[in-house]
Amino acid sequence: MTLARAGVAQAGASVRRSDLAGGLAVTALAAVAGLWFVPANVNLAATAGNDIAPAFMPLVCVAIAGVLGLVMTARALLHPAGAGGAEAGGDEEIGDQRPAPRQVVADLAVWIGSTVLVLLLLPRIGFVVTGGLLLAGWLAYAGLRSWVVGAAVAVTVPVVLDWLCRAFLHVQLP
């Protein structure tokens, strides 16, 4: 084994360990949320006038997170370190690179800022305007080049989601 190949195998082992730890953490958090947090904080029975229980969507989201955590864990266990290099069609072929710490901090700052904006704007200007502003900002941050597409997405998605919630779930968004 060449020195470069040994370095790729060592980097692959580190990536697999972090994928395994992340998958197990997501799966464990989903289990806690599904078995304790949601049932303890959200009504599991349908209330008068509602077709579905208030806990339905939180439990769907928890189930999706649990499945994704299990997939991440299985992927880490089924693809051992050093296996599946570029010639075998593994992840290294497409570049199993981790983002730079600076990029992680920038992404975290965007999500914290988005959360603060939701808390401040949603009660004051409503879902459609807040959602449109956030989508436009996220698309710009992600590097969307076509402002026509960005504007169409930022306007259409919140309006359609608001209509779907009113028409099918009988929920009026703020």
Side-chain angles (χ1 to χ4, degrees):
M1 181 183 293
T2 66
L3 187 58
R5 191 143 170 92
V8 169
Q10 186 178 18
S14 173
V15 168
R16 298 298 180 223
R17 279 193 302 270
S18 63
D19 284 351
L20 179 62
L24 290 172
V26 168
T27 303
L29 287 172
V32 168
L35 297 174
W36 170 72
F37 187 76
V38 173
N41 293 292
V42 183
N43 190 4
L44 294 174
T47 57
N50 289 338
D51 297 334
I52 59 174
F56 176 72
M57 283 309 294
L59 289 174
V60 167
C61 293
V62 164
I64 291 170
V67 168
L68 291 174
L70 287 173
V71 168
M72 192 172 180
T73 301
R75 182 175 180 262
L77 291 173
L78 295 175
H79 298 292
E87 59 276 350
D91 290 341
E92 289 78 16
E93 182 178 51
I94 57 172
D96 199 2
Q97 300 285 329
R98 296 292 184 209
R102 188 178 70 196
Q103 183 64 44
V104 172
V105 171
D107 291 347
L108 185 60
V110 167
W111 285 111
I112 290 170
S114 298
T115 302
V116 169
L117 285 175
V118 166
L119 292 172
L120 294 175
L121 298 179
L122 192 62
R124 291 174 177 81
I125 61 176
F127 172 78
V128 173
V129 177
T130 302
L133 290 173
L134 287 172
L135 274 174
W138 293 334
L139 290 171
Y141 178 71
L144 182 69
R145 294 183 183 157
S146 172
W147 288 102
V148 174
V149 172
V153 168
V155 170
T156 305
V157 169
V159 169
V160 169
L161 285 175
D162 186 58
W163 175 78
L164 287 171
C165 285
R166 290 175 197 252
F168 294 105
L169 298 177
H170 307 291
V171 172
Q172 184 171 348
L173 297 176

